[in-house]
Amino acid sequence: MDLVLNAADYYFFTPYVYPSTWPEDEIIRQSLSLLVVTNLGAYFLYFFFATLSYYFIFDHSLKKHPLFLENQVYREIMCTVKALPWISIPTVGFFLAEIRGYSKLYDRIEDSPYGWLGVILSMVSFLFFTDMAIYWIHRGLHHKLIYKHLHKPHHVWKISSPFASHAFHPMDGFLQGVPYHIYPFFFPLHKVVYLTLYILVNLWTISIHDGSYQVPKILEPFINGAAHHTDHHLFFDYNYGQYFTLWDRIGGSFKYPSVLKGTGPMHYMKKIVGKNVNGHARNGCQDEELFNGDNLKTK
């Protein structure tokens, strides 16, 4: 993060964001720089990769699904555009602490406790640590005392598009991002690896909302992909995990994806090809198990 910050600081921010007379290590200068970098980076990642996913991966026939809302893509985008600046404000606090030397981030491979092996192990531990933490944060956000205040806006999208990936209430989005930010305060992590992982987890978040359910057969029991996350949006109480099914299995919240059983949204759409499907409240699908009102929780 400080590599990006220093480059942006040199080429753009001074004197347009703050006076050139401010010292480079001035905390307000660093905070303003981080705020701009974080917002620009978040918007770029979201619009660039969600757009690619929307046009090249997402099946647009899902937009005719009864649970796909009117003007949903526009609403997903607007929700995200409004939320990202607010999510970035507390996030900057973590980045600021990192560039001021309070984390265990390091610059050189030689600084890794175990050299290249340590770098590789840190990648693995980052994924398992954040998957575990996000599972419990996500599950906590589904508690009846919290859900309607924070997490409910994200569950408006029963059948999501890639643009729903970051369409959260700001506090919801921030809380689910906390594990990524606290990891380098507990464990050593190379700065470039950290930045790369941060980008990749944003791409993963887009991918589990893109309606592409292709998972290698051998990985189906382990990877919590778009098929699993689709059932999370539809059935509410299942598949809270971010990357893996491990904690859902431990926590008793694992559900084998309906998509992989042949009863998912795509299979439903194939059944109604040629039929007039209007409205958004289970029109014409009361007999389909997936969309049974007793199973589909709207809370």
Side-chain angles (χ1 to χ4, degrees):
M1 178 57 66
D2 56 343
L3 297 175
V4 176
L5 179 62
N6 290 337
D9 197 3
Y10 180 78
Y11 289 107
F12 178 74
F13 295 148
T14 306
Y16 304 106
V17 176
Y18 39 70
S20 58
T21 55
W22 286 10
E24 288 187 7
D25 61 350
E26 216 284 326
I27 192 168
I28 298 178
R29 172 173 174 162
Q30 291 176 330
S31 299
L32 290 174
S33 297
L34 284 167
L35 194 62
V36 175
V37 167
T38 302
N39 275 282
L40 291 179
Y43 281 125
F44 173 78
L45 288 174
Y46 172 71
F47 279 108
F48 183 75
F49 290 105
T51 299
L52 288 178
S53 179
Y54 180 74
Y55 283 107
F56 295 104
I57 298 176
F58 178 67
D59 191 326
H60 287 244
S61 67
L62 286 173
K63 293 166 66 176
K64 299 179 181 179
H65 194 284
L67 296 177
F68 199 91
L69 305 177
E70 184 177 0
N71 297 323
Q72 179 173 314
V73 171
Y74 172 79
R75 292 166 64 181
E76 291 168 344
I77 292 173
M78 291 308 299
C79 180
T80 304
V81 167
K82 293 175 182 178
L84 285 180
W86 294 104
I87 295 173
S88 71
I89 292 173
T91 300
V92 162
F94 286 107
F95 289 148
L96 186 63
E98 289 163 5
I99 67 170
R100 294 182 74 85
Y102 294 103
S103 71
K104 296 181 181 294
L105 291 171
Y106 56 87
D107 293 292
R108 303 176 304 168
I109 300 299
E110 294 77 14
D111 297 327
S112 168
Y114 303 103
W116 277 104
L117 177 61
V119 174
I120 295 171
L121 290 176
S122 69
M123 297 180 193
V124 176
S125 64
F126 177 91
L127 293 177
F128 278 94
F129 174 87
T130 54
D131 185 66
M132 174 192 69
I134 291 173
Y135 172 85
W136 289 109
I137 291 171
H138 190 181
R139 187 161 184 168
L141 287 165
H142 277 252
H143 190 279
K144 62 182 180 181
L145 296 178
I146 300 175
Y147 174 76
K148 65 180 180 180
H149 301 293
L150 296 183
H151 197 50
K152 188 175 182 179
H154 187 62
H155 274 269
V156 168
W157 331 114
K158 297 298 179 184
I159 303 295
S160 64
S161 85
F163 291 108
S165 57
H166 293 72
F168 290 99
H169 182 287
M171 184 54 66
D172 181 5
F174 168 70
L175 289 174
Q176 294 201 58
V178 165
Y180 306 130
H181 304 304
I182 65 173
Y183 178 91
F185 289 93
F186 293 106
F187 308 101
L189 187 63
H190 193 283
K191 291 179 179 178
V192 175
V193 172
Y194 180 43
L195 184 61
T196 302
L197 289 170
Y198 188 73
I199 293 171
L200 291 177
V201 296
N202 276 276
L203 301 188
W204 180 261
T205 302
I206 292 171
S207 76
I208 61 176
H209 292 87
D210 66 10
S212 176
Y213 311 123
Q214 304 302 315
V215 179
K217 194 72 176 176
I218 193 172
L219 295 179
E220 283 180 7
F222 312 108
I223 300 298
N224 191 3
H228 299 74
H229 199 69
T230 293
D231 274 7
H232 173 73
H233 277 257
L234 287 170
F235 298 106
F236 188 81
D237 291 322
Y238 305 96
N239 301 343
Y240 297 105
Q242 184 73 349
Y243 324 113
F244 310 118
T245 62
L246 174 63
W247 283 98
D248 279 300
R249 293 179 185 277
I250 293 173
S253 54
F254 175 76
K255 181 182 185 301
Y256 188 77
S258 55
V259 168
L260 303 181
K261 294 190 293 185
T263 59
M266 289 300 301
H267 299 86
Y268 174 73
M269 289 306 299
K270 291 177 181 178
K271 290 183 179 181
I272 63 170
V273 170
K275 296 182 180 180
N276 182 27
V277 182
N278 296 313
H280 309 289
R282 299 190 294 277
N283 289 2
C285 57
Q286 282 87 345
D287 295 332
E288 175 68 30
E289 179 183 356
L290 179 61
F291 305 107
N292 186 298
D294 295 331
N295 293 332
L296 181 59
K297 295 189 178 181
T298 58
K299 298 294 182 182

